[in-house]
Amino acid sequence: MQTMFNMPGAPGGGPKPAADLIKDTSDRAFMADVIEASRTVPVIVDFWAPWCGPCKQLGPLLEKTVKAAKGAVKMVKINIDENPQVAGQLRIQSIPAVYAFFQGRPVDGFVGAQQESQIKQFVDRLAKLAGGADDGGLQEALDAAAEALEAGDAATASEIYSQILGVEPTNAAAYAGLVRCLMTAQDLARAREMLDGAPPELAKAPELAAVRSALDLAEQSAAAGPVPELMDRVARDPDDHQTRFDLAMALYAGNKRDAAVEELLEIVRRDREWNDQQARKQLVKFFEAFGPTDKLTVMARRKLSSILFS
């Protein structure tokens, strides 16, 4: 198949619409608009208030510079009068205050009015941090591969990920994606070999940490017994925690994630200290494999906290 992403200079990039680059946000939407959005592109956060004179001068200069960067960075504005929570958490004591987030964490910032030249230098630093405005369609290719894998088409996903690594050998998302393709094909041995042989610069990447947890779970659940038999044994003895644990892993192996999580939660509910808190620890491994923003992770963490602190 043809390469799924454009090489530098190929058509199809182009500047993003300003509406996609600059937006207002709130305390409630901060996680999605800033933390999660910054996983792929740096996000500048402008903390302002209607009564702040310098804010009215700085804001337009920031917007102008962000638009000129043509997608290398994004900008989010937050009115601290209406949304004081995040500003309080960041201990912002005066405005204008500007923070830059990348990969989910603050990486740069300043307080007070700035010259336009200083703002441009600030934005340029962030653009370089993320590799510039035009990624040649790399993110689009990663998204396409992830969609193919989710649809069960591991062959297509594998081909796209391999092409990405051919251009960018240290792309952690593509490397982790190839490991997931092998797991989908039930080739756990090769998946483990590839994961253990990851280049040093990728070994500690969060993408590989997540797939490592997923592979550990896949290997563990491969030995789980048949679900009907395990369910019958649990029904006869609800306090047989080992069997319930085995049932959770068998359900996970059958891609019944919700049911697997519920069985582990039930163990914690009945005996949180069982086997040195093995059920709780296994839930944490589930969360690592699912990802922190997965709906099931969020729901299960809430239930687990409710059980532990009740």
Side-chain angles (χ1 to χ4, degrees):
M1 66 184 278
Q2 280 190 321
T3 182
M4 296 293 294
F5 56 98
N6 302 317
M7 296 301 292
K16 297 182 180 179
D20 293 336
L21 300 177
I22 302 169
K23 67 187 298 186
D24 292 300
T25 193
S26 63
D27 286 335
R28 183 185 296 268
F30 190 87
M31 180 64 70
D33 289 345
V34 178
I35 303 301
E36 294 307 321
S38 74
R39 303 289 181 191
T40 55
V41 64
V43 178
I44 296 171
V45 185
D46 177 19
F47 293 91
W48 69 285
W51 47 264
C52 171
C55 296
K56 296 176 183 178
Q57 298 176 336
L58 178 65
L61 290 176
L62 273 172
E63 293 187 30
K64 175 184 175 182
T65 310
V66 168
K67 291 175 184 177
K70 299 180 179 179
V73 299
K74 291 184 178 181
M75 176 178 168
V76 165
K77 300 180 289 183
I78 184 165
N79 181 340
I80 65 168
D81 282 355
E82 298 175 353
N83 302 278
Q85 183 177 341
V86 173
Q89 290 173 346
L90 293 174
R91 298 182 180 179
I92 292 175
Q93 298 180 353
S94 64
I95 54 173
V98 176
Y99 278 69
F101 289 76
F102 186 55
Q103 298 296 327
R105 60 185 179 86
V107 293
D108 204 345
F110 60 83
V111 176
Q114 302 283 313
Q115 298 292 327
E116 186 170 357
S117 60
Q118 294 173 304
I119 295 173
K120 186 177 184 305
Q121 291 173 2
F122 173 71
V123 171
D124 286 345
R125 286 199 304 272
L126 295 172
K128 290 178 181 177
L129 185 67
D134 185 6
D135 67 358
L138 185 61
Q139 187 58 50
E140 184 179 351
L142 287 169
D143 292 343
E147 290 174 9
L149 187 56
E150 187 174 350
D153 188 356
T156 296
S158 179
E159 187 168 351
I160 299 172
Y161 285 134
S162 295
Q163 290 181 25
I164 293 171
L165 289 172
V167 175
E168 191 175 301
T170 57
N171 188 289
Y175 198 95
L178 270 182
V179 176
R180 290 188 184 277
C181 288
L182 291 169
M183 291 168 57
T184 299
Q186 298 300 311
D187 194 344
L188 301 186
R190 284 185 61 201
R192 173 61 66 184
E193 182 181 351
M194 183 174 180
L195 191 57
D196 290 346
E201 58 268 37
L202 294 182
K204 294 184 179 180
E207 294 91 344
L208 266 69
V211 80
R212 184 173 290 107
S213 292
L215 181 56
D216 289 344
L217 290 170
E219 291 173 337
Q220 187 176 355
S221 61
V227 170
E229 178 183 325
L230 293 169
M231 291 183 71
D232 184 59
R233 288 167 58 187
V234 169
R236 290 199 306 268
D237 183 2
D239 288 326
D240 184 351
H241 301 320
Q242 183 60 59
T243 298
R244 192 182 293 277
F245 186 91
D246 293 342
L247 173 59
M249 299 313 300
L251 289 166
Y252 179 85
N255 202 31
K256 298 183 184 300
R257 301 191 316 161
D258 296 68
V261 164
E262 289 299 331
E263 295 298 343
L264 292 177
L265 287 171
E266 183 62 22
I267 295 175
V268 178
R269 189 176 290 112
R270 288 173 175 269
D271 184 358
R272 66 182 66 179
E273 297 298 329
W274 173 74
N275 205 15
D276 194 25
Q277 299 190 14
Q278 187 177 6
R280 183 193 62 80
K281 292 175 181 177
Q282 194 75 339
L283 279 168
V284 172
K285 185 157 283 191
F286 275 13
F287 302 156
E288 291 172 350
F290 300 162
T293 61
D294 186 275
K295 290 182 179 179
L296 182 54
T297 297
V298 175
M299 179 276 294
R301 281 191 184 279
R302 190 178 302 120
K303 287 187 176 182
L304 180 60
S305 296
S306 177
I307 294 169
L308 293 176
F309 299 106
S310 60

